[in-house]
Coordinates of all heavy atoms in Angstrom, one line a residue:
A58 N 113.7 110.9 79.8 CA 112.3 110.5 79.4 C 112.4 109.7 78.2 O 113.3 109.8 77.3 CB 111.5 111.7 79.2
Y59 N 111.4 108.8 78.0 CA 111.3 107.9 76.8 C 109.9 107.6 76.5 O 109.1 107.3 77.4 CB 112.1 106.6 77.1 CG 112.3 105.8 75.8 CD1 113.3 106.1 74.9 CD2 111.5 104.7 75.6 CE1 113.4 105.4 73.7 CE2 111.7 103.9 74.5 CZ 112.6 104.3 73.5 OH 112.8 103.5 72.4
V60 N 109.6 107.5 75.2 CA 108.3 107.2 74.7 C 108.3 105.7 74.2 O 109.1 105.3 73.4 CB 107.8 108.1 73.5 CG1 106.5 107.6 72.9 CG2 107.7 109.5 74.0
F61 N 107.3 105.0 74.7 CA 107.0 103.6 74.1 C 105.8 103.8 73.2 O 104.7 104.1 73.7 CB 106.7 102.6 75.3 CG 107.9 102.3 76.1 CD1 108.2 103.1 77.2 CD2 108.8 101.3 75.9 CE1 109.3 102.9 78.1 CE2 109.9 101.0 76.7 CZ 110.1 101.9 77.8
D62 N 106.0 103.6 71.9 CA 105.0 103.8 70.9 C 104.4 102.5 70.5 O 105.2 101.5 70.2 CB 105.6 104.6 69.8 CG 104.6 104.9 68.7 OD1 104.3 104.0 67.9 OD2 104.0 106.0 68.8
G63 N 103.1 102.4 70.4 CA 102.4 101.2 70.0 C 102.9 100.6 68.7 O 103.1 99.3 68.6
D64 N 103.1 101.4 67.7 CA 103.5 100.9 66.4 C 105.0 100.4 66.5 O 105.3 99.4 65.9 CB 103.4 102.0 65.3 CG 101.9 102.3 65.0 OD1 101.1 101.4 65.2 OD2 101.6 103.3 64.4
N65 N 105.8 101.2 67.2 CA 107.2 100.9 67.2 C 107.6 99.6 67.9 O 108.4 98.8 67.4 CB 108.0 102.0 67.9 CG 108.0 103.3 67.0 OD1 107.6 103.3 65.9 ND2 108.4 104.4 67.7
V66 N 106.9 99.3 68.9 CA 107.2 98.0 69.7 C 106.8 96.8 68.9 O 107.3 95.7 69.1 CB 106.6 98.0 71.1 CG1 107.1 99.1 71.9 CG2 105.1 98.0 71.0
R67 N 105.9 97.0 67.9 CA 105.4 95.9 67.1 C 106.5 95.5 66.0 O 106.3 94.5 65.4 CB 104.1 96.3 66.4 CG 102.9 96.3 67.4 CD 102.1 95.1 67.3 NE 101.0 95.1 68.2 CZ 100.3 94.0 68.5 NH1 100.7 92.8 68.0 NH2 99.3 94.0 69.3
H68 N 107.5 96.3 65.9 CA 108.6 96.0 65.0 C 109.7 95.2 65.7 O 110.6 94.7 65.0 CB 109.2 97.3 64.4 CG 108.3 98.0 63.4 ND1 108.1 97.5 62.1 CD2 107.4 99.0 63.5 CE1 107.3 98.3 61.5 NE2 106.8 99.2 62.3
G69 N 109.7 95.1 67.0 CA 110.7 94.4 67.7 C 110.2 93.6 68.8 O 109.9 92.4 68.7
L70 N 110.1 94.2 70.0 CA 109.7 93.5 71.2 C 108.5 92.7 71.0 O 108.4 91.5 71.5 CB 109.6 94.5 72.3 CG 109.1 94.0 73.7 CD1 110.2 93.1 74.3 CD2 108.8 95.1 74.6
C71 N 107.5 93.2 70.3 CA 106.2 92.5 70.2 C 105.9 92.2 68.7 O 104.8 92.0 68.3 CB 105.1 93.4 70.7 SG 105.3 93.7 72.5
G72 N 107.0 92.0 67.9 CA 106.9 91.7 66.5 C 106.3 90.3 66.2 O 105.8 90.1 65.1
D73 N 106.3 89.5 67.2 CA 105.7 88.1 67.0 C 104.3 88.0 67.4 O 103.7 86.9 67.3 CB 106.5 87.1 67.9 CG 106.4 87.4 69.4 OD1 106.4 88.6 69.7 OD2 106.4 86.5 70.2
L74 N 103.6 89.1 67.8 CA 102.3 89.1 68.2 C 101.3 89.5 67.2 O 101.5 90.4 66.4 CB 102.1 90.0 69.5 CG 103.0 89.6 70.7 CD1 102.7 90.6 71.8 CD2 102.6 88.2 71.2
S75 N 100.1 88.9 67.2 CA 99.0 89.2 66.3 C 98.1 90.3 67.0 O 98.6 90.9 68.0 CB 98.1 88.0 66.0 OG 97.4 87.6 67.2
F76 N 96.9 90.5 66.6 CA 96.0 91.4 67.2 C 94.8 90.7 67.8 O 93.8 91.3 68.0 CB 95.6 92.5 66.2 CG 96.6 93.5 65.8 CD1 97.5 93.2 64.8 CD2 96.9 94.6 66.6 CE1 98.5 94.1 64.4 CE2 97.9 95.5 66.3 CZ 98.7 95.2 65.2
S77 N 95.0 89.4 68.1 CA 94.0 88.7 68.8 C 93.9 89.2 70.2 O 94.8 89.8 70.7 CB 94.3 87.2 68.8 OG 95.4 87.0 69.7
P78 N 92.8 88.9 70.9 CA 92.6 89.3 72.3 C 93.8 88.9 73.2 O 94.3 89.6 74.0 CB 91.3 88.7 72.8 CG 90.5 88.7 71.5 CD 91.5 88.3 70.4
A79 N 94.2 87.6 73.0 CA 95.3 87.1 73.8 C 96.6 87.8 73.5 O 97.4 88.1 74.4 CB 95.5 85.6 73.6
A80 N 96.8 88.1 72.2 CA 98.1 88.7 71.8 C 98.1 90.2 72.3 O 99.1 90.7 72.7 CB 98.2 88.7 70.3
R81 N 96.9 90.9 72.3 CA 96.9 92.2 72.8 C 97.2 92.3 74.2 O 97.9 93.2 74.7 CB 95.5 92.8 72.5 CG 95.2 93.2 71.1 CD 93.7 93.6 70.9 NE 93.4 94.0 69.6 CZ 93.3 95.3 69.1 NH1 93.6 96.3 70.0 NH2 93.0 95.5 67.9
T82 N 96.7 91.3 75.0 CA 97.0 91.2 76.4 C 98.5 91.0 76.6 O 99.1 91.7 77.5 CB 96.2 90.0 77.1 OG1 94.8 90.2 76.9 CG2 96.6 89.9 78.5
E83 N 99.1 90.2 75.9 CA 100.5 89.9 76.0 C 101.4 91.2 75.6 O 102.4 91.5 76.2 CB 101.0 88.7 75.1 CG 102.5 88.4 75.1 CD 103.1 88.1 76.5 OE1 102.3 87.9 77.4 OE2 104.3 88.1 76.5
N84 N 100.9 91.9 74.6 CA 101.5 93.1 74.1 C 101.6 94.1 75.3 O 102.7 94.7 75.6 CB 100.8 93.7 73.0 CG 101.4 94.9 72.4 OD1 102.5 94.9 71.9 ND2 100.6 96.0 72.4

Side-chain angles (χ1 to χ4, degrees):
Y59 189 77
V60 174
F61 293 88
D62 183 276
D64 287 340
N65 292 349
V66 300
R67 289 263 180 190
H68 288 281
L70 178 66
C71 299
D73 60 324
L74 299 177
S75 68
F76 289 90
S77 70
R81 284 175 181 259
T82 299
E83 176 61 11
N84 183 58

